[in-house]
Amino acid sequence: MKYWLMLLLMLAPTAMAAPGIDAVNVSSDGNGGQTYTLSIQVLLLMTALSLLPAGLMLMTSFTRIVIVLSILRQALGTAQTPSNQILVGLALFLTFFIMSPVLTRVYDTALGPYFEERIDASEAMENAKLPIREFMLAQTRDDDLALFARISGVESFDRSEEIPFSLLMPAFATSELKTAFQIGFLLFIPFLVIDLVVASVLMSMGMMMLSPLIISLPFKIMLFVLVDGWSMVMGTLATSFYV
């Protein structure tokens, strides 16, 4: 539950401001900040909830995992097995496993102190950005950062802290897509070899009317089970973020 609260904090910290009065207005809290009315807080909270899926997909490891699992299913040739719901569920829980160190830091440095009223919403948001930024920068290629920096008209950045989120997020998403397809390509090769071997054997035996997929599918499933494929894929995906 605390992970969902952390994501809400990063997307709309102002939605968690101190309770306001019934009228729709903005008042000063005496410390240079602002306090919003309850109706505005609810509006911001609902907006944050609508943006939560996009943040989950584009700021975490979810994109890489779900693409690799989809390519693996295609390579196996098992049509809709596992189903989309199962693949998304696996990707979601593996994402929380991979992101747990980052989310724990966000809770310790931002959400926990905010709930204890030791820091305000703006400071909590700034503290929450740091672990997420470090994770995204570690997984983003330099050439992707340079590409979006050039598109935005910026030559270079002296420090990583100067990179804005508006530039880091598309660069991170592009890098994740590249990495996911590279891993998927490597997963596809052994199954492609099995398909080629089976097709060649059937061709040499004159069984051209028999679909190679019918024969190769049991062999691909047997190979995947014998090498403990699910454990290998899950373990490789998890360790690929911290190598």
Side-chain angles (χ1 to χ4, degrees):
M1 177 60 69
K2 68 179 183 179
Y3 292 158
W4 294 104
L5 294 175
M6 283 184 281
L7 290 175
L8 289 176
L9 173 65
M10 289 181 289
L11 291 175
T14 55
M16 300 182 187
I21 58 179
D22 295 334
V24 181
N25 60 6
V26 180
S27 59
S28 175
D29 58 5
N31 296 322
Q34 292 178 331
T35 300
Y36 297 92
T37 61
L38 180 61
S39 58
I40 297 179
Q41 294 177 36
V42 173
L43 176 62
L44 294 176
L45 182 60
M46 293 300 102
T47 303
L49 287 175
S50 65
L51 296 176
L52 186 61
L56 175 64
M57 290 186 292
L58 296 180
M59 298 174 62
T60 65
S61 57
F62 181 84
T63 301
R64 182 188 306 185
I65 296 170
V66 74
I67 290 178
V68 170
L69 293 179
S70 299
I71 293 177
L72 174 62
R73 183 179 64 180
Q74 185 70 24
L76 283 170
T78 54
Q80 294 299 315
T81 304
S83 63
N84 291 331
Q85 292 83 352
I86 294 177
L87 291 185
V88 172
L90 286 173
L92 185 61
F93 284 107
L94 189 57
T95 296
F96 280 114
F97 171 76
I98 294 171
M99 298 296 296
S100 58
V102 178
L103 297 178
T104 300
R105 288 183 56 194
V106 172
Y107 182 84
D108 293 338
T109 60
L111 192 58
Y114 177 78
F115 283 160
E116 296 172 1
E117 298 184 354
R118 291 189 279 116
I119 59 176
D120 57 15
S122 60
E123 185 177 355
M125 183 182 67
E126 293 300 323
N127 293 343
K129 284 182 178 180
L130 295 178
I132 300 296
R133 175 187 292 274
E134 292 176 3
F135 172 81
M136 296 173 68
L137 282 174
Q139 307 301 324
T140 305
R141 292 177 169 84
D142 293 337
D143 55 347
D144 292 326
L145 281 173
L147 170 64
F148 286 96
R150 185 170 62 253
I151 294 174
S152 62
V154 180
E155 295 295 333
S156 62
F157 297 97
D158 296 332
R159 299 180 303 169
S160 60
E161 292 80 5
E162 298 177 357
I163 302 176
F165 256 93
S166 59
L167 189 151
L168 180 59
M169 288 184 64
F172 172 76
T174 304
S175 296
E176 287 295 283
L177 289 173
K178 289 181 180 179
T179 304
F181 276 91
Q182 289 174 353
I183 298 175
F185 171 76
L186 296 177
L187 287 174
F188 222 108
I189 291 178
F191 302 110
L192 180 60
V193 171
I194 294 177
D195 287 333
L196 291 175
V197 171
V198 171
S200 299
V201 172
L202 293 178
M203 184 72 69
S204 63
M205 296 176 64
M207 299 181 179
M208 292 176 292
M209 301 300 295
L210 181 62
S211 174
L213 180 61
I214 300 177
I215 307 300
S216 63
L217 180 58
F219 288 100
K220 290 191 288 187
I221 294 177
M222 180 182 65
L223 173 65
F224 194 68
V225 171
L226 288 177
V227 301
D228 197 10
W230 287 113
S231 297
M232 292 179 60
V233 171
M234 295 297 182
T236 300
L237 284 172
T239 55
S240 66
F241 289 92
Y242 295 101
V243 175

